[in-house]
Amino acid sequence: MLSGVFMVAGALLSLAAGIGVVRFPDVLSRMHAATKPQILGLLLILIGVGLRLRSGAEVATLVLVGVFQLATAPVAAQMVGRAAYRSGRHRPDLLVVDELAAAAPTTPDS
């Protein structure tokens, strides 16, 4: 029962991430939607699957998948955000604070 609750909650968070990627207006907002709920959703699904399997090797594999996702998703989001900002593909009117405006060029030529 608990395993099913974790998997359904993870699936709903992953669905919310997918909807956010489609519905949000700019790259930076989409990047946020693609990383935060997607990673938590995946971790909840992995916990649910781990509760069902209960084998040492299989749970170790699930832990490795979770650790690699936690390590790579923030780095990928940082690189996508940096590339979007530097190429000018973000919407400056949606930024509350733009700390990089004076430091980073925003033209594709730079």
Side-chain angles (χ1 to χ4, degrees):
M1 183 70 155
L2 187 61
S3 172
V5 169
F6 277 119
M7 285 195 264
V8 168
L12 289 174
L13 279 171
S14 296
L15 177 66
I19 291 170
V21 167
V22 172
R23 299 283 314 250
F24 282 165
D26 69 331
V27 175
L28 301 178
S29 299
R30 289 177 182 166
M31 176 188 62
H32 180 77
T35 55
K36 303 268 185 194
Q38 186 267 337
I39 293 298
L40 183 57
L42 176 70
L43 292 177
L44 288 174
I45 290 172
L46 291 176
I47 290 169
V49 171
L51 289 173
R52 293 282 288 177
L53 295 177
R54 297 183 188 211
S55 169
E58 294 166 341
V59 171
T61 302
L62 295 175
V63 168
L64 283 175
V65 168
V67 167
F68 285 134
Q69 280 295 311
L70 285 172
T72 58
V75 174
Q78 171 70 21
M79 300 319 269
V80 168
R82 177 182 285 182
Y85 187 87
R86 287 187 175 177
S87 66
R89 302 210 183 260
H90 68 290
R91 287 184 46 191
D93 59 317
L94 294 177
L95 296 177
V96 175
V97 176
D98 189 1
E99 296 175 351
L100 296 176
T106 58
T107 60
D109 301 335
S110 310

